[in-house]
Amino acid sequence: MADGSASGSPSSASPHQHHRDAIKSSVHNSASSRRREHAIAVGKERREALMRAKRVCRAPLSGSDETAMEEGDMVIDEEKADLEARTAQAVEELKSALSTQYISTIETSFCANLVLGILFDSLNIIELKSAFINHSMCPLLKFPCSGGKGAQKKKIEVLRALRRLLSQSEVPPVEAAIKAGAIPLLVQYLSFGSSDEQLLEAAWCLTNIAAGEPEETKSLVPALPLLIAHLGEKSSTLVAEQCAWAIGNVAGEGADLRSKLLAQGALWPLARLMLSNKGSTARTAAWALSNLIKGPDPKAANELIGIDGVLNAIIRNLEKADEELATEVAWVVVYLSALSEKATSLIVRSSVPQLLIGRLLASENLQLLIPVLRSLGNLVAADGYMVDSVLIVGNSITDQALSSLIKCLKSENRVLKKEASWAMSNIAAGSFEHKKLIFASEAMPSLMHLLTTAQFDIRREAAYTLGNLCVVPAGNAEPPNIIVDHLVAIVNGGALPGFINLVRSADIESARLGLQFLELVMRGYPNGQGPQLVEREDGIEAMERFQFHENELMRNLANGLVDKYFGEDYGLE
């Protein structure tokens, strides 16, 4: 057609061009980087607003002998000064217990030397050697003179007292514990060779200290080598899980601490824990990993997806795990797909997309739906294979994907609406068949409603989707071909004022999107009525605000449209 309009499927554009088009002109090249920046930015939002980047451990791990905290055990009304005093006293008792252990060691050594002296006096060398080999030494050489069981019991008691203060207080007295010198003591209590009960209590204390303020979390740096070491196979699963929790809290604090953890080798043992068949262990490890790999450096994400068994574990847990574990695994997928092109390529070619769509359709759990939807949006935005070869029109997976996105568009939750609109906009930037599928679906009323009533960020994503439904790429540098029936239906449905409001916004990207849609209307609406429709909604005034704008691209675009469609000949028959 002479005006560049089209009402049928275009035949000239390649499949790669279909994947992204001019209304969202930069998306094909920048979608993944935009999504990467978005994923990093929402990291803090994700954990603080939804799940918290750092978590206080208030209940014992599954499988622990510790009695679960009763509802009435939480310390709420205690005065801050009293709580801090009790905390300082608990730390002093930690010191005392270690001192007792040290004295016991000296006493044991003294007793042993005493016995050896007696033996040397009474035995010749041959007899002494035989006594060592046959373990016929005096019992004093086998057991500490001070009674080791009593000292060990005391250490557990004082650790538990501090841990209870740090886990059962409404506002844990982390600062008081640090000021009293708890960190170096807890590092000593975390030494290999200690009982599992002692290691668990020490790691639990460190976990909750790490859940404190930024500077408090940073105080754990001396403990990191031992916490990471206990992730290995030499430690029990319970100890490893508690240490993973502590490491997850540290990783959630920021990029600097993540770099330290990665440099000290935390990634591989955490990945091994995520492969565990024990649900709570896999869940804790997945949560810690999602904090550890979330960037901004993509190196960790690239390394994680290359670890043998990781992708299979993701698939297994998305398919069969309970919603809590599936939620944490989905967050791992969020950051893998946001940061690593290698990971995205592997994920879209696996069963993960189908599993994500299945979870999105079946669940009503907001904590699960958000990372599942965000993962799906990442995959659609970052890899053309997802739209071109997975979400093929006519396949059941595509119908399920569309149904799940419509469900989220209709949700009362703003995050779901925004993420669903984002994912839909990238599917709408696919082939002509994808555009027709969305246009004929129940998504349209929801998108039109969001464009005019939703919060600004949601309106922008809905506008991208509606704009993408109206065009197909023309190739080279030509303006996109217009799908006239889609454009007419969207304009007649009341979308034009919403796009003009975008032109008026302070956000340059949104204003540019609005101008691009106005260009489509003025160029492609039948019978040359487009300019009149734009004028009727005060579109000229909206465009003229860019007449002297500092952004040259926007200035030229707006002025060019005004000159072309509202010049000297405008209104003349």
Side-chain angles (χ1 to χ4, degrees):
M1 297 183 184
D3 64 355
S5 302
S7 58
S9 176
S11 59
S12 59
S14 72
H16 294 292
Q17 288 174 315
H18 285 166
H19 189 59
R20 295 294 183 265
D21 53 46
I23 194 70
K24 203 164 186 176
S25 56
S26 63
V27 168
H28 183 62
N29 295 323
S30 67
S32 58
S33 63
R34 181 183 176 211
R35 171 52 66 189
R36 181 178 301 121
E37 292 169 2
H38 180 56
I40 295 166
V42 300
K44 192 170 183 180
E45 168 199 336
R46 166 233 167 154
R47 295 305 192 184
E48 291 185 355
L50 304 174
M51 305 179 70
R52 287 186 54 80
K54 298 187 290 186
R55 303 172 177 173
V56 175
C57 180
R58 298 196 185 277
L61 298 177
S62 173
S64 170
D65 294 332
E66 175 70 9
T67 304
M69 183 177 68
E70 298 294 334
E71 187 174 346
D73 290 344
M74 179 69 73
V75 179
I76 297 175
D77 297 327
E78 186 168 3
E79 291 290 337
K80 181 180 179 183
D82 293 341
L83 188 60
E84 290 178 348
R86 289 178 59 198
T87 303
Q89 179 60 37
V91 175
E92 284 301 315
E93 291 177 1
L94 285 182
K95 294 178 185 176
S96 176
L98 279 178
S99 299
T100 300
Q101 179 188 26
Y102 178 69
I103 293 171
S104 297
T105 303
I106 295 175
E107 289 174 347
T108 302
S109 177
F110 175 78
C111 292
N113 287 333
L114 179 62
V115 172
L116 285 173
I118 295 171
L119 287 170
F120 273 112
D121 287 341
S122 59
L123 299 174
N124 61 36
I125 289 295
I126 301 299
E127 292 170 330
L128 184 59
K129 180 178 180 182
S130 175
F132 272 109
I133 294 172
N134 295 315
H135 302 285
S136 60
M137 300 290 289
C138 170
L140 287 174
L141 290 178
K142 296 182 180 180
F143 304 101
C145 292
S146 62
K149 290 184 179 179
Q152 179 62 25
K153 183 179 178 182
K154 177 64 176 176
K155 288 195 292 182
I156 299 298
E157 288 175 352
V158 296
L159 277 170
R160 186 169 291 135
L162 178 61
R163 182 264 296 166
R164 284 174 175 162
L165 288 168
L166 291 169
S167 59
Q168 295 180 10
S169 306
E170 186 178 31
V171 180
V174 172
E175 183 181 6
I178 294 172
K179 285 183 177 179
I183 300 296
L185 297 173
L186 291 170
V187 171
Q188 292 184 65
Y189 278 100
L190 207 58
S191 299
F192 278 93
S194 305
S195 68
D196 276 3
E197 194 174 9
Q198 175 179 317
L199 293 171
L200 272 173
E201 293 290 352
W204 192 341
C205 289
L206 289 168
T207 296
N208 288 356
I209 291 173
E213 297 299 319
E215 291 304 315
E216 294 167 349
T217 305
K218 291 175 184 176
S219 71
L220 256 73
V221 168
L224 297 185
L226 272 176
L227 288 171
I228 294 170
H230 278 298
L231 298 177
E233 296 178 350
K234 291 183 179 180
S235 298
S236 70
T237 302
L238 275 174
V239 171
E241 183 179 337
Q242 190 66 67
C243 290
W245 193 329
I247 288 169
N249 278 344
V250 174
E253 185 50 57
D256 289 343
L257 288 175
R258 286 196 287 275
S259 295
K260 283 184 171 62
L261 288 167
L262 291 167
Q264 293 181 30
L267 185 69
W268 281 73
L270 277 178
R272 183 188 67 84
L273 285 180
M274 193 177 70
L275 308 185
S276 173
N277 290 323
K278 184 186 175 189
S280 66
T281 301
R283 182 174 66 247
T284 301
W287 168 74
L289 278 170
S290 69
N291 271 349
L292 187 61
I293 68 170
K294 66 184 181 184
D297 189 341
K299 182 179 178 182
N302 283 322
E303 187 175 351
L304 178 61
I305 197 62
I307 295 176
D308 189 38
V310 165
L311 183 56
N312 287 337
I314 289 171
I315 292 170
R316 182 179 71 250
N317 289 321
L318 286 176
E319 182 177 13
K320 299 179 179 179
D322 60 61
E323 289 197 333
E324 284 187 272
L325 175 51
T327 296
E328 297 304 342
V329 170
W331 278 114
V332 173
V333 177
V334 167
Y335 290 108
L336 285 174
S337 56
L339 294 164
S340 170
E341 292 182 7
K342 174 184 175 183
T344 301
S345 179
L346 290 171
I347 289 169
V348 298
R349 288 162 176 79
S350 72
S351 59
V352 169
Q354 177 71 73
L355 295 172
L356 291 172
I357 292 167
R359 289 280 187 174
L360 201 57
L361 268 176
S363 180
E364 297 297 330
N365 183 343
L366 181 63
Q367 300 295 333
L368 173 61
L369 291 175
I370 288 174
V372 165
L373 178 55
R374 192 164 285 167
S375 295
L376 195 59
N378 287 355
L379 299 177
V380 169
D383 196 305
Y385 183 88
M386 181 71 181
V387 173
D388 299 338
S389 301
V390 177
L391 299 180
I392 299 173
V393 175
N395 287 0
S396 61
I397 185 177
T398 308
D399 295 335
Q400 292 169 7
L402 186 58
S403 296
S404 67
L405 292 176
I406 293 171
K407 165 188 169 181
C408 295
L409 287 176
K410 295 179 177 180
S411 168
E412 294 300 316
N413 182 269
R414 70 177 305 276
V415 177
L416 291 183
K417 287 189 284 192
K418 179 180 178 180
E419 294 290 329
S421 299
W422 160 269
M424 191 81 77
S425 73
N426 282 287
I427 297 174
S431 71
F432 183 73
E433 286 70 28
H434 287 101
K435 299 172 192 292
K436 289 196 298 182
L437 179 67
I438 295 173
F439 183 77
S441 75
E442 294 180 14
M444 288 302 295
S446 295
L447 291 166
M448 297 288 284
H449 179 71
L450 292 175
L451 177 65
T452 56
T453 64
Q455 296 95 329
F456 177 77
D457 55 345
I458 300 173
R459 283 192 282 127
R460 183 175 67 184
E461 297 303 337
Y464 267 128
T465 306
L466 293 170
N468 282 340
L469 292 177
C470 295
V471 292
V472 289
N476 300 322
E478 296 297 318
N481 292 326
I482 300 172
I483 307 173
V484 175
D485 53 340
H486 289 190
L487 178 67
V488 169
I490 288 171
V491 171
N492 291 352
L496 189 56
F499 280 97
I500 291 175
N501 283 336
L502 288 181
V503 174
R504 294 191 178 100
S505 74
D507 181 69
I508 293 298
E509 180 187 350
S510 301
R512 182 184 179 194
L513 170 62
L515 289 173
Q516 288 175 322
F517 188 81
L518 296 190
E519 189 275 333
L520 297 180
V521 173
M522 293 186 288
R523 172 164 61 94
Y525 200 90
N527 303 319
Q529 295 179 31
Q532 296 173 22
L533 294 174
V534 171
E535 182 185 24
R536 190 179 304 158
E537 300 294 341
D538 293 328
I540 298 176
E541 175 270 330
M543 288 186 284
E544 285 181 339
R545 64 181 289 268
F546 289 98
Q547 185 175 3
F548 302 105
H549 199 273
E550 61 183 10
N551 186 300
E552 182 180 4
L553 178 64
M554 296 296 294
R555 187 173 66 247
N556 291 340
L557 177 58
N559 290 340
L561 291 176
V562 171
D563 290 343
K564 180 175 181 179
Y565 293 102
F566 301 99
E568 295 179 357
D569 296 334
Y570 176 66
L572 299 179
E573 295 295 337

